[in-house]
Amino acid sequence: MGCGTSATAVTHRETPETDEAVKSPSPALTMKAAVLIQRWYRRYMARLEIRRRYTWNIFQSIEYAGEQDQLQLSSFFTYMLDNFTQLNGNGPDLISQLLDPVLDPWFDRETCYKTISIPESYTGPRISFPLSVSDTNALLSAFKEQQVLHARYVLQLLFETKKLLKEMPNIIHLSTSYTKEITICGDLHGRLDDLLLIFYKNGLPSAETPYIFNGDFVDRGKKSVEVVILLFAYLLLYPDHMHLNRGNHEDHIMNLRYGFTKEVMQKYKTHGREILQLFQDVFSLLPIATVIDAKILIVHGGISDQTDLEMLNSIERHKVKSALRFPRHSLEQLDIGQSHRLGKRMRSTDSSHSSRSYTENHRTPSLRKRRCGVSRRDSGASTSSSSSSSSSCSSLCSPRTPSCISPQTYPSSPSTPHNVLQVPFLDSLCSVPLPSPPQQEQEWKQIVDILWSDPKTQEGCMPNTFRGGGCYFGPDITQRLLHQHRLQLLIRSHECKQEGYELCHDGKVITIFSASNYYEEGSNRGAYIKLGKELVPRFYQYQVSRTTRRLTLTQRVRVAEGSALRALKEKLFAHRSELMAAFQQYDQNETGCVSVGEWAKVLESVLRLDLPWRTLRPHLVHLAPDGSVEYQSSFEDVGPGAPLPQVAPNLAETLFRYRTDLEIIFNIIDKDHSGLISIEEFRHTWRLFSAHLGVAIDDSAIDELARSIDFNKDGSIDFTEFLEAFRVVHKLDMKEQLSQKMGRKKYS
Amino acid sequence: MAPKKAKKRAAEGANSNVFSMFEQAQIQEFKEAFTIMDQNRDGFIDKNDLRDTFAALGRLNVKQEEIDDMLKEAPGPINFTVFLTMFGEKLKGADPEETILNAFKVFDTEGKGVLKKDYVTQMLTTQADRFTSEEMEQMFTAFPPDVAGNLDYKNLVHIITHGEEKDQE
């Protein structure tokens, strides 16, 4: 304890011993000072930790809510398909191609690559089959240089991969006796940097360095194409030492929303659709699981209480093209059992039905396009069939069927015919033919459970209503399955983890996640596992860093927090009218204020994200001098990206909310990738979309909208420009940029 | 309605009266803090979570031994009611910048505005609520001393205080 001879007189306003200002600080004083500093610093760190955690919560909630949102898109496509199979009347369009898997998966269309020639001007990597190490090296360096592989090679690669995968069983069995160690990686989600970092740290795939990649190679990240090409290339090069498990994002419908489809279409304007078709086939052919030394099971998501490895091994996995599309056994469109927003379930009735019809006259009241973000706790409390409680509603398109859900009879409406299945379809009921025989249904559920489930601390097995597919499985389920098959460990991915990995179920379940900075720069590390003969996992962590100067913990938290809060504010903005309506119920006198409690209640009831609203309040809204919340202040610093076309307010909001979905739809409709669609197509699509969402928009409003955005008045719409108007921007961003230029006080 | 000492309360065990001690708004805030700390959302927080929760709520004058004692006295795992019972009042706010600066100045007898890294380490890890070496390292990573080993504590205090302000607004 340092005591100098000359001391600066100090005054402690807070502590009682102010009168004891001595020349040299006494031991008591130094102790007091130390305590103050220690406490103060610890409080700061604890606050940082709280911020980090709720930031994480925000990201996760929005992500899962988004997953539910997206399934909405899939149901919309189904709807579109069934109502208007050909939008332009000229034959099947991309939508049908994309959503209607060709019956014969071995259809030889993929040899079309032979007709594609490579122009002289092509400067990208050239590869030849069968692949050799020089080809994979060429790919690696090319991708590092941001080059794009020519469509012909992509198609050829996919064709070869498909051939190879066809020969593989559903469950791959590996042994550590031939190799030193196996490396197991989790979700990559199109992060090429992470993959390259893993290869750099751990070595390229080879006979000495075998790898297992546990699914979710694509979507979200910007380099999904490159990632998956590399993985497939190594698979072709070392089929015995490179192993890929299917993830829930190896699914063409998920790809529509989460970016892979878009990325392919952008990078491959001419051949994108064929490439996507092949990817669809290849994805469905990926093995479902890997087992090491008959002791360690590796799957992407998890298990359920009905997981049966024998059955999994025997089914035809390629038939489950997408977890979001119930398997069909005929050419007819069979809708997925859409879970009703309020959780209504219908019991399937018996007997078959030949023709199909849609009845849309059962609109339930107060139904709109809200998604229900279910909190995990709530889902634990309620069963899958709980209906009225708002917490039980699930996504609109979940990998579930009517019969998968625990049956509960509901009063059927008077006009329900007996021989059809009444399936809730958003806010209406549709009659569809009976689903496929129980066998197919069972098989489909087995796969979906493997790809979508998450572990939980509570015992038992419950439907994963948060995600809308698969189950939550407890430690007892894990124990049972491991015991049943004489396994000792389950390795899975599917969930982003702060440290890149996490253990649960008493060490029997490991989650491994390999996309660092998944939510935001600095949000999390990535990790991989190395497993040797003794089967003791070792974890290796890393984090890709874009900035040249490494950020401190505080800065990282701040960056991630800022990003999360912006996403949250956008959510608020996109639900503005609902929120305002709810606020006004508490604010009858139109003072513009409600209490903090009321504010928090409204937010949770509308957004359903299960977030700590009171803690977040300072970042989202202003307080009046009397401590009440000025609820409109949330909407002040976000606004549209470009001058809005003349649009009715609720239409505008819908557009904000579904901007991404609309973009996807437009991209698909725009076959020649001109960026333009015809007014007729626009009207058509929009009408469908709004009918599907239950937004009450009459035709004249749509026509007006179409007219107003036909900027060139030539009958076509530049939808990029149109969508730009509905991108939410944060006004503060512009202010920040300005003031930064002027040089503010600096933070280290 | 004066808040009782936490220890005494813990000895009484969790009871429903605790909710009447606080205003609804306060309870809601506690609940949120509790939920944030309850990472796996099972309604319970463990010892490590406890310490962080304390610290975040401003209750820092709780030593590890005290926490251990409380945990022993708690009827079971710490759920929200138990939590409320054990830790009564909540202290809001942070110490003013001046106070912390003065605390540092106690050690900076020559008034240089900087302190030697080793000295700071010694000062904070060997007395009072001792810092662990990890905590010390964390501080120096976030606020690195210069090449001569001097820690600019004024800067440190300023940034943390004003960073907090900015983030709290």
Side-chain angles (χ1 to χ4, degrees), chain A residues 124-137:
Chain A
R126 290 167 190 267
I127 55 180
S128 61
F129 293 82
L131 291 178
S132 65
V133 174
S134 56
D135 292 311
T136 48
N137 286 340

Side-chain angles (χ1 to χ4, degrees), chain A residues 461-587:
Chain A
C461 187
M462 299 155 260
N464 192 332
T465 42
F466 207 39
R467 290 211 198 238
C471 299
Y472 288 129
F473 61 99
D476 54 330
I477 308 290
T478 303
Q479 177 62 24
R480 203 197 311 159
L481 186 94
L482 292 180
H483 181 75
Q484 193 182 340
H485 296 275
R486 287 194 279 276
L487 300 161
Q488 71 191 33
L489 180 61
L490 170 67
I491 299 180
R492 44 87 65 175
S493 305
H494 196 40
E495 283 180 296
C496 182
K497 296 294 176 191
Q498 181 76 12
E499 294 297 319
Y501 73 96
E502 193 174 273
L503 278 77
C504 64
H505 292 189
D506 197 28
K508 297 214 178 65
V509 175
I510 298 178
T511 302
I512 186 76
F513 194 84
S514 300
S516 64
N517 306 329
Y518 181 60
Y519 291 124
E520 177 55 76
E521 175 82 26
S523 65
N524 65 289
R525 291 168 143 161
Y528 56 87
I529 296 173
K530 295 206 72 140
L531 212 57
K533 264 202 273 285
E534 74 288 355
L535 298 184
V536 172
R538 294 197 327 277
F539 299 94
Y540 292 79
Q541 296 168 298
Y542 54 86
Q543 196 157 15
V544 168
S545 177
R546 240 161 266 295
T547 55
T548 46
R549 202 170 57 88
R550 286 204 54 202
L551 299 174
T552 63
L553 175 63
T554 314
Q555 287 165 328
R556 274 185 283 143
V557 170
R558 192 177 291 143
V559 167
E561 187 191 31
S563 183
L565 289 170
R566 289 148 78 96
L568 197 51
K569 280 189 197 161
E570 282 170 25
K571 275 264 170 196
L572 261 73
F573 187 76
H575 289 85
R576 180 184 187 150
S577 51
E578 279 175 66
L579 287 168
M580 287 300 290
F583 285 137
Q584 272 146 11
Q585 290 199 338
Y586 287 102
D587 182 25

Side-chain angles (χ1 to χ4, degrees), chain A residues 218-286:
Chain A
V218 298
D219 280 336
R220 296 191 192 275
K222 301 265 185 297
K223 300 269 180 121
S224 300
V225 171
E226 285 76 17
V227 165
V228 80
I229 286 177
L230 281 173
L231 293 178
F232 288 167
Y234 279 110
L235 178 70
L236 289 172
L237 187 56
Y238 298 114
D240 297 324
H241 308 297
M242 180 74 164
H243 309 278
L244 306 176
N245 280 350
R246 188 177 184 185
N248 65 315
H249 279 264
E250 274 70 58
D251 179 327
H252 63 287
I253 296 194
M254 292 295 276
N255 299 152
L256 278 169
R257 164 64 179 242
Y258 286 103
F260 184 54
T261 308
K262 181 174 173 180
E263 189 187 325
V264 171
M265 297 298 262
Q266 278 176 349
K267 287 180 174 160
Y268 297 101
K269 294 202 184 331
T270 321
H271 297 283
R273 289 155 66 196
E274 296 150 60
I275 292 178
L276 284 171
Q277 271 292 17
L278 256 185
F279 266 120
Q280 187 180 325
D281 295 340
V282 170
F283 284 163
S284 69
L285 280 167
L286 287 168

Side-chain angles (χ1 to χ4, degrees), chain A residues 195-221:
Chain A
L195 181 61
L196 294 175
L197 186 55
I198 294 172
F199 283 163
Y200 178 70
K201 277 171 70 99
N202 194 51
L204 292 174
S206 67
E208 292 81 44
T209 319
Y211 276 89
I212 299 172
F213 284 90
N214 200 14
D216 279 10
F217 322 124
V218 298
D219 280 336
R220 296 191 192 275

Side-chain angles (χ1 to χ4, degrees), chain A residues 35-51:
Chain A
V35 166
L36 262 176
I37 294 171
Q38 286 153 346
R39 284 188 202 173
W40 163 82
Y41 192 77
R42 283 193 172 124
R43 177 168 24 214
Y44 165 64
M45 292 307 291
R47 291 240 163 94
L48 210 59
E49 175 64 17
I50 281 213
R51 282 163 62 199

Side-chain angles (χ1 to χ4, degrees), chain B residues 124-141:
Chain B
L124 293 177
T125 58
T126 57
Q127 64 179 321
D129 290 342
R130 296 165 203 219
F131 266 9
T132 61
S133 54
E134 287 86 28
E135 282 175 302
M136 213 58 248
E137 208 178 296
Q138 207 172 54
M139 186 193 265
F140 289 138
T141 312

Side-chain angles (χ1 to χ4, degrees), chain A residues 90-110:
Chain A
N90 284 343
D93 53 284
L94 181 63
I95 298 167
S96 9
Q97 280 176 34
L98 280 184
L99 297 176
D100 242 356
V102 171
L103 269 190
D104 177 5
W106 313 143
F107 174 52
D108 223 13
R109 64 171 172 266
E110 56 263 6

